[in-house]
Amino acid sequence: MQDDHKHDHHGHDDGHGSALSDTELRVRALESLLVAKGYVDPAALAAIIETYETRIGPRNGARVVAKAWSDPAYRDWLLRDATAAIAALGFGGRQGEHMVAVENTEATHNLVVCTLCSCYPWPVLGLPPTWYKSPAYRSRAVIDPRGVLAEFGVGVPADRQIRVWDSTAETRYLVIPQRPPGSEGLDEAALADLVTRDAMIGAGLARQPGGDA
């Protein structure tokens, strides 16, 4: 089965044409100024960014996924109107407008990319990872998504379709990963602990219960 590359090239109007959005450019400029003046230790800044990028930020999205796993009515709402369903949990705002949720199943694996820059749903996933913004990922995710996923350690069966979703300034995507087996008795808080940032981009899978954090 051939992979289905779904492209949605709407107008990229928030810094598109460059690798960074206007917000990111301002943040980088401020970061450079603070470091240059000696107000911020670059190592400490890197540690803070790493924390928000991989731990604190994605917790919002993890809560959304956990509720979708445990509440069929919420899952249906999330798939029908992700922006409203996510906002109902208190997550929204700039970079989180016009959200679309796509669900991984036994038949389909979804992968999110932004081919023209690095559009990313900050309110639910925190800071975008460095690799998401790299030209290599942005081009290869479209050309060879199965190979890219293999490099992330995600082996997708040959008979499973891969759909590639292209984020834009107007539309950003959240992947609902497959719920791992053995998680049936867990509450929403425990389920959220299984949801990784990469799984919500489609570049990873949910953790197994009892596995490493």
Side-chain angles (χ1 to χ4, degrees), residues 9 16 47 52 61 63 83 92 118 124 126 139-140 204:
H9 295 302
H16 297 323
Y52 275 88
R63 286 180 56 193
T83 305
S118 56
V124 289
S139 61
R140 291 193 57 233

Side-chain angles (χ1 to χ4, degrees), residues 131-156:
W131 55 261
Y132 182 85
K133 299 180 286 185
S134 71
Y137 175 77
R138 286 156 45 197
S139 61
R140 291 193 57 233
V142 174
I143 298 169
D144 181 24
R146 198 173 296 272
V148 168
L149 287 169
E151 292 175 8
F152 276 100
V154 179
V156 179

